[in-house]
Amino acid sequence: MTVLYIAAGGGGDAIASRAIGELINPGAAPSIATLSWDRLIIDPLPGPRSIKDFDGLRSPRASVYQVTPASKPIERAGSSLPRLAGALRADLYLLDPHNGVDGLGMQITAIAEHIGATELLIVDVGGDILALGPDIGLRSPTADLMTLAASSTTRIPTRVLVTGIGLDGELSPELVSRRLEELRATTLATLNSQFEEIQDVFSWHPSEASGMLAAAANGVTGKVEVRDAGLLVELNSRAATAYAFDAASLLEISPGRHLIGTTSLGQVEDLVATHTGINDLEYERQKAAAMLGSDRPQTFKGRHSVDINELLRDARDRGADFVTLRRLSEATGCKDSGARGKLADFLQSRILPPSLVRTRV
């Protein structure tokens, strides 16, 4: 059986898909279809990138666009995918959501035919793909709902795989667990060594959820402070377990079913906001505008050491055992890769691979 992995939320889920591929078919290079929808610290433009935002994509057939290490985002845009293409030992295919779910479904079908896939496996770290409406904690439903809906239009057998329960800081672990039970999800396996070969990607890629999943696979436990809002999530023995279920059973009750038939990202945006109460595209636009107007430095200089010590002490007082490197990068204004690298060097004695910073020395 040949599997096409669908990264539900973009780059972070693509990294997790690589680990899941190693779990299912050790030693093989998996084929992964993914959006290019990065955090603003990598891509300053809000929203997902389109095929027009790249130079150097490989197109072996119509509607199939492979990202290679030589691919580059156009001026002003950013993307982690070309670097991931060189680091993951996987074939990465770009999904462009700008023609809505109908267009996305056509792309997935074309990629699946190109590689001879007989099954689609949608990979989601955290579990926000299980949202059924305005669930408490939901922040970024658009990508997950689009990939779920688009995969259902392909007529290819499709499963959803959820791992890292609650690690994205959105739906609570309790809610995710209850939804998995209602969907009669089965335990696929528990990740352990599958991140070893690719662990270095977390030194530069800002995905918090996949980084914490890798830490959980390494046996790390404790409370972690994440995101710009400083949310607390917990790493425990269950965090590295992967659960799978039939995608059709979720689509029947998911807001994603309302997206079928859309032909533009604007239509999707309106429908997601209507059925979940969340507009993550608008949130990104507002955040990007605020960042453009900010004069916070992007270099690592003197005052940051004070900020970091204060941040770590405050996080410890809030009960956190760890803080993600991305949380510290955003909080101290270290947004470019050079500044983040110097920040990591400064924190070397506190860093627990792949991307956690101890609040206690």
Side-chain angles (χ1 to χ4, degrees):
M1 179 175 290
T2 300
V3 178
L4 174 60
Y5 297 88
I6 311 291
D13 287 336
I15 298 171
S17 296
R18 166 64 173 79
I20 295 297
E22 181 66 17
L23 180 71
I24 293 174
N25 192 7
S31 296
I32 303 168
T34 178
L35 301 170
S36 179
W37 195 341
D38 284 295
R39 306 299 181 188
L40 294 173
I41 58 175
I42 282 187
D43 184 1
L45 301 181
R49 302 280 60 79
S50 72
I51 56 174
K52 296 178 181 178
D53 291 324
F54 286 87
D55 290 325
L57 295 175
R58 178 175 173 269
S59 183
R61 56 171 289 175
S63 299
V64 176
Y65 298 92
Q66 185 175 355
V67 183
T68 74
S71 304
K72 293 181 179 179
I74 61 172
E75 187 177 355
R76 291 187 65 240
S79 175
S80 64
L81 294 188
R83 193 169 178 182
L84 284 178
L88 293 185
R89 194 170 57 81
D91 294 328
L92 295 188
Y93 295 92
L94 179 65
L95 294 178
D96 181 347
H98 288 80
N99 291 321
V101 162
D102 277 10
L104 201 59
M106 291 174 61
Q107 293 172 61
I108 293 172
T109 299
I111 297 168
E113 290 176 350
H114 172 63
I115 68 168
T118 53
E119 181 185 25
L120 307 180
L121 189 60
I122 304 171
V123 176
D124 177 47
V125 179
D128 58 338
I129 197 171
L130 301 174
L132 301 185
D135 289 318
I136 294 174
L138 185 64
R139 290 176 178 81
S140 53
T142 300
D144 302 89
L145 296 180
M146 283 196 78
T147 51
L148 174 65
S151 297
S152 75
T153 68
T154 65
R155 301 185 183 277
I156 301 170
T158 304
R159 289 186 296 163
V160 176
L161 185 146
V162 172
T163 188
I165 289 178
L167 295 187
D168 55 356
E170 298 200 29
L171 304 188
S172 70
E174 295 76 18
L175 178 57
V176 173
S177 297
R178 186 166 71 248
R179 296 265 165 86
L180 288 172
E181 185 176 350
E182 291 167 352
L183 290 163
R184 299 182 179 180
T186 58
T187 301
L188 182 67
T190 297
L191 292 160
N192 43 66
S193 62
Q194 288 77 24
F195 282 99
E196 287 181 359
E197 184 182 348
I198 59 173
Q199 188 163 276
D200 287 349
V201 302
F202 297 109
S203 66
W204 58 268
H205 196 281
S207 173
E208 290 178 302
S210 292
M212 287 187 288
L213 175 63
N218 289 338
V220 177
T221 60
K223 293 183 178 179
V224 186
E225 190 168 273
V226 304
R227 291 179 175 259
D228 49 4
L231 302 170
L232 273 181
V233 301
E234 186 164 357
L235 291 180
N236 54 36
S237 58
R238 195 184 178 197
T241 302
Y243 304 88
F245 57 89
D246 182 57
S249 62
L250 175 59
L251 187 68
E252 288 178 358
I253 56 176
S254 169
R257 67 188 187 278
H258 301 292
L259 308 184
I260 295 174
T262 55
T263 56
S264 73
L265 187 58
Q267 289 177 317
V268 169
E269 179 180 359
D270 291 342
L271 286 168
V272 170
T274 297
H275 292 284
T276 69
I278 303 294
N279 189 329
D280 42 337
L281 282 159
E282 180 58 26
Y283 171 79
E284 278 201 5
R285 292 185 197 107
Q286 293 177 8
K287 187 174 181 179
M291 289 173 67
L292 282 174
S294 172
D295 59 359
R296 295 201 70 175
Q298 293 192 12
T299 55
F300 184 77
K301 294 184 178 178
R303 73 176 188 86
H304 288 307
S305 62
V306 178
D307 286 352
I308 291 166
N309 289 331
E310 290 177 354
L311 282 165
L312 292 174
R313 184 181 64 248
D314 291 346
R316 184 172 64 244
D317 291 344
R318 289 188 290 268
D321 301 297
F322 307 98
V323 177
T324 64
L325 190 57
R326 175 192 154 194
R327 160 89 171 127
L328 289 179
S329 298
E330 292 189 336
T332 57
C334 295
K335 299 169 187 173
D336 65 76
S337 58
R340 290 197 302 275
K342 291 180 180 178
L343 173 63
D345 290 342
F346 177 81
L347 291 165
Q348 189 170 15
S349 64
R350 287 179 178 259
I351 288 182
L352 180 69
S355 59
L356 301 182
V357 180
R358 296 179 179 90
T359 59
R360 294 172 176 82
V361 179

